[in-house]
Amino acid sequence: MPDYDTDNIFAKILRGEIPAIKVYEDDDTFCFMDIMPRADGHCLVIPKTPCRNLLDASDAQLAACLSAAKRIAHAAKTALNADGITFQQFSEAAGGQEVFHLHFHILPRHEGVPLRAPGQMGDMDHIKQIAEKISAAL
Ligand code: AMP
């Protein structure tokens, strides 16, 4: 597996070099909105320390991310009045990974509503409004 690339987009977000719509952070994790949301409330939880994906993650990184993700999933479900949550993680290109800093997708779901196609830029004002609702529910 390749080494961690310090120039990946999420590393740049963590360093404040490119903007992100923040939902939550603690000492070990950061959560921000996906800019190409496949569902309203689609957000990503990442560790603050370097790691490509599930395959090189430490137990501590995984524990911190899953603990934060559980709290955020509850808040997102409440904020969006969702019926359920889809939780995803892709490791390496063959596994569907595009950004090589470990991240977990949280996707609030409503009964009978399919996910939107990937790769479609969302409306930033709408995404910001949803982020505020999730943050408020935390
Ligand atoms: P994947 O690596 O396949 O798990 O997916 C990467 C995810 O990151 C996709 O859902 C993208 O829409 C999302 N993404 C890419 N660039 C950004 C960015 N600058 N801010 C927020 N989300 C992003």
Side-chain angles (χ1 to χ4, degrees), residues 13-84:
I13 286 176
L14 285 171
R15 291 196 293 268
E17 293 168 7
I18 60 171
I21 302 171
K22 176 177 147 181
V23 173
Y24 167 86
E25 80 176 300
D26 57 34
D27 288 348
D28 303 311
T29 69
F30 187 71
C31 175
F32 56 103
M33 300 303 284
D34 197 303
I35 55 173
M36 292 177 260
R38 300 198 59 198
D40 281 355
H42 183 177
C43 58
L44 305 168
V45 182
I46 66 174
K48 287 186 171 176
T49 48
C51 170
R52 264 177 85 82
N53 54 46
L54 183 69
L55 301 171
D56 65 338
S58 69
D59 289 353
Q61 285 172 317
L62 294 174
C65 286
L66 290 185
S67 174
K70 180 179 164 181
R71 286 190 56 205
I72 296 158
H74 275 288
K77 185 170 177 292
T78 300
L80 277 295
N81 198 23
D83 300 309

Side-chain angles (χ1 to χ4, degrees), residues 9-10 13 18-21 32-38 42 44 88-91 95-101 103 105 118-120:
I9 294 172
F10 296 169
I13 286 176
I18 60 171
I21 302 171
F32 56 103
M33 300 303 284
D34 197 303
I35 55 173
M36 292 177 260
R38 300 198 59 198
H42 183 177
L44 305 168
Q88 293 178 318
Q89 199 288 314
F90 305 125
S91 289
Q97 187 175 14
E98 292 177 352
V99 179
F100 295 93
H101 181 107
H103 54 280
H105 296 255
Q120 302 180 87

